[in-house]
Amino acid sequence: EVFDMSENKMYGQIQIADEVIGVIAVTAALEVEGVVAGSHGKGFTEFFGKKGHTKCVKVAKDENEAVLDMEIIIKFGTKVQKVAAEVQERVKSTVETMTGLNVAVVNVSVSGVVKEVKAEVEE
Protein backbone atom coordinates (compact mmCIF):
# COMPACT_ATOMS: atom_id res chain seq x y z
CA GLU A 1 0.00 0.00 0.00
CA VAL A 2 1.53 3.30 -1.09
CA PHE A 3 0.98 6.28 1.18
CA ASP A 4 -0.05 9.23 -0.93
CA MET A 5 0.26 12.56 0.86
CA SER A 6 -2.17 14.29 -1.49
CA GLU A 7 -4.94 11.88 -0.47
CA ASN A 8 -4.62 12.90 3.17
CA LYS A 9 -5.05 16.67 3.03
CA MET A 10 -8.17 16.46 5.20
CA TYR A 11 -6.23 15.26 8.23
CA GLY A 12 -4.03 18.32 8.34
CA GLN A 13 -0.50 19.07 7.22
CA ILE A 14 2.56 16.94 7.59
CA GLN A 15 5.74 18.93 8.06
CA ILE A 16 9.16 17.37 7.70
CA ALA A 17 11.98 19.51 9.06
CA ASP A 18 14.92 20.21 6.75
CA GLU A 19 17.16 18.73 9.47
CA VAL A 20 15.37 15.41 9.12
CA ILE A 21 15.78 15.43 5.35
CA GLY A 22 19.44 16.32 5.85
CA VAL A 23 20.04 13.42 8.23
CA ILE A 24 18.32 11.00 5.85
CA ALA A 25 20.40 12.32 2.93
CA VAL A 26 23.70 12.06 4.82
CA THR A 27 22.91 8.59 6.12
CA ALA A 28 22.07 7.42 2.60
CA ALA A 29 25.24 9.01 1.19
CA LEU A 30 27.42 7.30 3.80
CA GLU A 31 26.05 3.93 2.68
CA VAL A 32 27.70 4.40 -0.71
CA GLU A 33 31.04 2.63 -1.07
CA GLY A 34 33.85 5.21 -1.20
CA VAL A 35 32.10 8.00 0.68
CA VAL A 36 33.92 8.87 3.86
CA ALA A 37 32.04 11.84 5.22
CA GLY A 38 30.32 15.07 4.45
CA SER A 39 32.37 18.21 4.00
CA HIS A 40 34.76 19.41 6.70
CA GLY A 41 35.57 15.77 7.47
CA LYS A 42 33.45 15.68 10.60
CA GLY A 43 32.84 12.33 12.23
CA PHE A 44 29.59 10.41 11.98
CA THR A 45 28.21 11.73 15.27
CA GLU A 46 28.51 15.32 14.18
CA PHE A 47 26.13 14.60 11.30
CA PHE A 48 23.26 13.81 13.57
CA GLY A 49 23.30 17.02 15.53
CA LYS A 50 21.26 19.90 14.14
CA LYS A 51 24.41 21.85 13.28
CA GLY A 52 26.49 18.97 12.00
CA HIS A 53 24.88 17.77 8.83
CA THR A 54 23.54 21.13 7.70
CA LYS A 55 27.12 22.03 6.84
CA CYS A 56 27.15 19.38 4.13
CA VAL A 57 23.50 19.30 3.04
CA LYS A 58 21.41 22.24 1.96
CA VAL A 59 17.71 21.58 1.53
CA ALA A 60 15.37 23.76 -0.50
CA LYS A 61 11.79 22.61 -0.71
CA ASP A 62 8.35 23.84 -1.69
CA GLU A 63 4.99 22.02 -1.35
CA ASN A 64 6.26 18.54 -2.16
CA GLU A 65 9.45 18.93 -4.13
CA ALA A 66 12.96 19.17 -2.76
CA VAL A 67 16.35 20.20 -4.10
CA LEU A 68 19.38 18.96 -2.18
CA ASP A 69 22.90 20.34 -2.36
CA MET A 70 25.44 17.99 -0.80
CA GLU A 71 29.15 18.02 -0.18
CA ILE A 72 30.98 14.76 0.28
CA ILE A 73 34.50 13.56 0.95
CA ILE A 74 35.64 10.40 -0.78
CA LYS A 75 38.33 7.78 -0.31
CA PHE A 76 41.45 8.16 -2.38
CA GLY A 77 41.43 5.71 -5.28
CA THR A 78 37.68 5.66 -5.81
CA LYS A 79 36.13 6.69 -9.12
CA VAL A 80 34.77 10.15 -8.34
CA GLN A 81 32.09 10.23 -11.07
CA LYS A 82 30.81 6.77 -10.17
CA VAL A 83 30.64 7.48 -6.43
CA ALA A 84 28.96 10.88 -6.91
CA ALA A 85 26.38 9.41 -9.30
CA GLU A 86 25.63 6.62 -6.85
CA VAL A 87 25.22 9.16 -4.04
CA GLN A 88 22.72 11.10 -6.18
CA GLU A 89 20.73 7.97 -6.87
CA ARG A 90 20.81 6.60 -3.32
CA VAL A 91 19.97 9.94 -1.69
CA LYS A 92 17.11 10.64 -4.10
CA SER A 93 15.44 7.26 -3.65
CA THR A 94 15.95 7.12 0.13
CA VAL A 95 14.64 10.64 0.78
CA GLU A 96 11.68 10.03 -1.53
CA THR A 97 10.83 6.69 0.06
CA MET A 98 11.08 7.95 3.62
CA THR A 99 9.45 11.38 3.25
CA GLY A 100 7.07 11.13 0.30
CA LEU A 101 8.66 14.27 -1.12
CA ASN A 102 9.67 14.36 -4.75
CA VAL A 103 13.41 15.03 -4.96
CA ALA A 104 13.88 17.01 -8.15
CA VAL A 105 17.65 17.42 -7.98
CA VAL A 106 20.55 16.16 -5.89
CA ASN A 107 23.63 18.28 -6.53
CA VAL A 108 26.77 16.58 -5.26
CA SER A 109 30.08 18.35 -4.92
CA VAL A 110 33.15 16.43 -3.90
CA SER A 111 34.98 18.69 -1.49
CA GLY A 112 37.81 16.42 -0.46
CA VAL A 113 39.71 13.17 -0.78
CA VAL A 114 41.21 11.21 2.09
CA LYS A 115 43.63 8.33 2.24
CA GLU A 116 42.10 5.21 3.74
CA VAL A 117 42.66 5.14 7.48
CA LYS A 118 43.37 1.71 8.95
CA ALA A 119 40.88 0.30 11.42
CA GLU A 120 41.58 1.59 14.95
CA VAL A 121 42.36 -1.63 16.75
CA GLU A 122 42.01 -5.16 15.50
CA GLU A 123 40.72 -7.34 18.33
Side-chain angles (χ1 to χ4, degrees):
E1 170 118 303
V2 178
F3 176 69
D4 183 3
M5 284 173 96
S6 60
E7 295 292 308
N8 290 286
K9 283 281 197 283
M10 63 187 133
Y11 300 128
Q13 284 190 311
I14 297 172
Q15 288 274 302
I16 300 163
D18 290 358
E19 268 82 29
V20 173
I21 295 167
V23 169
I24 294 168
V26 167
T27 309
L30 287 169
E31 285 174 355
V32 175
E33 186 74 45
V35 175
V36 184
S39 67
H40 311 293
K42 300 295 184 199
F44 284 83
T45 46
E46 174 111 11
F47 283 136
F48 295 99
K50 283 200 171 192
K51 288 199 186 69
H53 76 268
T54 45
K55 290 184 188 130
C56 56
V57 184
K58 227 171 69 223
V59 179
K61 66 180 195 298
D62 54 26
E63 283 303 285
N64 44 9
E65 193 165 79
V67 172
L68 307 181
D69 289 300
M70 300 191 72
E71 279 187 43
I72 59 170
I73 290 173
I74 60 166
K75 271 185 212 135
F76 181 81
T78 46
K79 292 192 171 77
V80 179
Q81 286 301 109
K82 187 171 173 283
V83 171
E86 206 173 313
V87 166
Q88 287 177 315
E89 215 170 289
R90 180 81 59 105
V91 167
K92 178 178 162 68
S93 74
T94 306
V95 171
E96 286 184 340
T97 304
M98 287 183 68
T99 65
L101 285 165
N102 172 36
V103 177
V105 182
V106 179
N107 295 312
V108 174
S109 66
V110 178
S111 60
V113 177
V114 294
K115 274 285 226 204
E116 181 103 58
V117 184
K118 288 276 178 283
E120 296 291 300
V121 186
E122 305 244 327
E123 296 288 320

